[in-house]
Amino acid sequence: MPESVTMSEPVARLPTVVIAGRPNVGKSTLFNRIVGRRIAVVEDTPGITRDRLYAEADWRGRRFTVVDTGGLTTEPEVLWEQIRLQATIALQEADVVLFLVDACDGLCPADRELADELRPLKVPVLLVVNKADNPRREEYADEFYALGFGEPRPISSLHGRGVADLLDEVVDLLPTPEPVPEEPEPISLAILGRPNVGKSSLLNAILGQPRAIVSDIPGTTRDAVDTPFAWRGEPLTLVDTAGLRRPGKVQGSVEYYMALRATRAAERADICVVVIDASEGFTDGDKRVGSIAYEAKKALVWVANKWDEVEPPDGRPTKRSQAKRDFARTVQRDAPEQAFAPICFTSATRGTGIEALMDTCIEAYENYSFRITTGVLNRIIHDATFERPLTVKGRALKAYYATMTRTRPPTIAVFVNDPKLVHFSYRRYLHNRLRKEYPLEGSPLVLDFRASHQRKP
Ligand code: GDP
Ligand code: GDP
């Protein structure tokens, strides 16, 4: 049975502003002023002194966490040492520290002690002189220069005086929030093929691999017909697996139904795995399924399944056998448009070749997402058109500029004097030139010729 994994949401860490100061300078008053008494989270762990208080605040649209290092320590039994310990812990998390002192009391030895503790911190420490309720008291602030934290900022937490200016300064000092790593969109993979080629057997073989971890996420909005799983830790989704497991009674034309389902699955997938019953060879039906994947412009990987019937396991143990090469050549010859697609050889019932198939799929997806830099692209196009100029009825094709307009699939816009000049074989020629330098195995490559009258858009 596959193991299950639980996924947890990444939590954004807000920048942290810590209010430090000896008791009674007005830390909790300032804290409440900043958070507007909208205390979001109070750390309240039983058995631990409730002497650190956290809350979320925002100022001018910047969100941050405020920590009051002595918020609930007015109880007489709480020792100064304990407060200091808690303060030390909080300070380690700080992005900005507000070092609060008291204008009425003036400079105290405890302030100097705290100053010594704050000095080694690598984050900005703002010296804030609280209880400066009026201009006369503001003048008392000057004596705190002696602490060596630069200009003291007089405020009154009780009346709000100077707090806005202080917060302006604080948010400017906050680091830009770390971007939460976006959960990567799972790579989606569709298993396509004619009836009885072994699609559902292959599905089970993939999910039964030790490297595949099927996630069991109850209550998610994921479409129940799909199966999320991980391959070597890479999140993937198998598209329309419910349909593969329970084919059910098919109404009307099997061929029509198959094509319809394959088209829908291909449209929702990044990678199409087209399964062939190798014991029957490469048939027209397989070719049609390949075209469906190709029309959808998705990454494509061929799978020659039931390879155990072509080459019995008790046969000659040649690793890269002639039979494989011959089969690959047949597929390439009969489906030349999809020649970019690699071919894997599996036995779904025996579980062989599955690991190589999945690794090939991941590689195809990487190629499908590949970006060729504009400089390189222009060099290739320039060289190609220079070496083989195109003239149609006396008109020469001029390619001015090329750039990748998107990936998945890699799509290249080529700005030319007249797109109508680019006929099929010339298009193929440019394709091949690009593929020579960037094989991008498993990925289609889209060339989009556009008219331009300038040298550069
Ligand atoms: P903490 O121990 O540092 O958290 O200090 P508190 O916030 O509990 O405040 C201690 C005392 O100072 C309380 O009586 C507050 O009302 C008072 N206080 C706080 N800020 C101010 C202020 O700006 N001006 C005046 N006059 N008193 C203040
Ligand atoms: P689906 O219709 O494409 O989903 O095909 P199934 O997975 O139902 O397989 C059709 C038949 O082919 C079943 O009898 C499978 O046991 C058999 N089969 C599938 N994969 C293999 C394989 O790799 N080797 C052999 N010998 N038989 C296979």
Side-chain angles (χ1 to χ4, degrees), residues 22-29 70 130-131 133 137 156-158:
R22 61 181 179 82
N24 278 316
V25 292
K27 294 185 296 300
S28 64
T29 309
N130 192 34
K131 307 191 189 177
D133 301 343
R137 282 208 193 158
S156 169
S157 300
L158 201 59

Side-chain angles (χ1 to χ4, degrees), residues 36-363:
R37 283 173 218 282
R38 285 171 293 115
I39 297 174
V41 187
V42 178
E43 192 175 80
D44 188 6
T45 317
I48 293 176
T49 327
R50 299 195 317 167
D51 50 4
R52 257 196 297 164
L53 210 58
Y54 291 76
E56 217 180 278
D58 68 78
W59 183 254
R60 289 190 342 218
R62 283 300 305 275
R63 281 166 67 225
F64 54 94
T65 302
V66 200
V67 186
D68 173 2
T69 53
L72 295 170
T73 55
T74 42
E75 302 99 276
E77 68 267 25
V78 176
L79 300 170
W80 171 226
E81 276 308 309
Q82 273 181 302
I83 303 164
R84 283 228 339 224
L85 179 67
Q86 287 300 325
T88 308
I89 294 166
L91 287 170
Q92 284 165 1
E93 303 163 0
D95 293 300
V96 174
V97 176
L98 300 179
F99 177 10
L100 211 59
V101 293
D102 187 327
C104 302
D105 291 348
L107 189 52
C108 300
D111 295 328
R112 291 186 190 277
E113 247 178 81
L114 186 55
D116 290 340
E117 216 166 307
L118 298 180
R119 227 179 303 282
L121 295 179
K122 302 244 181 331
V123 294
V125 177
L126 300 181
L127 178 61
V128 181
V129 183
N130 192 34
K131 307 191 189 177
D133 301 343
N134 50 55
R136 199 170 55 82
R137 282 208 193 158
E138 273 181 20
E139 286 168 22
Y140 298 167
D142 286 351
E143 73 171 298
F144 293 98
Y145 266 110
L147 287 170
F149 282 92
E151 193 188 340
R153 292 145 178 88
I155 64 160
S156 169
S157 300
L158 201 59
H159 306 300
R161 208 182 149 88
V163 175
D165 288 343
L166 177 67
L167 289 176
D168 281 350
E169 206 175 338
V170 167
V171 293
D172 285 344
L173 289 170
L174 293 179
T176 43
E178 287 164 34
V180 181
E182 250 182 62
E183 217 179 299
E185 267 291 301
I187 304 169
S188 56
L189 195 146
I191 300 174
L192 310 177
R194 295 182 295 117
N196 284 315
V197 292
K199 296 182 295 298
S200 60
S201 308
L202 194 65
L203 163 71
N204 291 327
I206 292 170
L207 297 181
Q209 286 284 306
R211 292 200 195 283
I213 296 182
V214 180
S215 36
D216 214 4
I217 316 163
T220 54
T221 52
R222 258 181 244 267
D223 202 331
V225 302
D226 297 342
T227 304
F229 78 114
W231 179 259
R232 297 189 198 276
E234 180 90 55
L236 282 116
T237 304
L238 284 168
V239 171
D240 192 22
T241 41
L244 289 185
R245 285 209 179 90
R246 288 178 270 103
K249 280 270 168 287
V250 175
Q251 303 283 317
S253 152
V254 172
E255 181 80 358
Y256 172 78
Y257 168 80
M258 183 211 78
L260 189 70
R261 240 204 49 205
T263 305
R264 280 203 195 129
E267 275 165 6
R268 292 172 53 220
D270 299 310
I271 310 163
C272 294
V273 168
V274 178
V275 186
I276 305 159
D277 180 341
S279 68
E280 294 182 2
F282 188 62
T283 68
D284 283 348
D286 299 325
K287 207 176 141 176
R288 276 195 290 278
V289 182
S291 309
I292 289 171
Y294 182 68
E295 295 298 326
K297 294 195 168 71
K298 300 305 168 91
L300 173 58
V301 175
W302 295 111
V303 177
N305 188 40
K306 307 196 188 179
W307 195 250
D308 56 296
E309 289 189 13
V310 177
E311 284 193 288
D314 49 2
R316 278 183 300 128
T318 36
K319 221 174 159 200
R320 291 190 50 139
S321 66
Q322 187 61 38
K324 280 181 182 169
R325 277 194 291 272
D326 289 348
F327 198 94
R329 208 166 293 148
T330 303
V331 174
Q332 288 211 338
R333 187 198 58 212
D334 291 353
E337 277 187 316
Q338 291 95 302
F340 61 86
I343 182 160
C344 294
F345 298 85
T346 62
S347 168
T349 43
R350 289 173 189 271
T352 54
I354 310 294
E355 196 166 314
L357 165 64
M358 288 309 296
D359 290 344
T360 303
C361 285
I362 303 283
E363 227 171 276

Side-chain angles (χ1 to χ4, degrees), residues 376-395:
V376 174
L377 205 53
N378 279 287
R379 203 243 315 136
I380 299 170
I381 298 288
H382 175 268
D383 290 356
T385 49
F386 179 78
E387 282 165 34
R388 193 172 138 183
L390 174 68
T391 306
V392 181
K393 290 181 189 147
R395 271 201 87 195

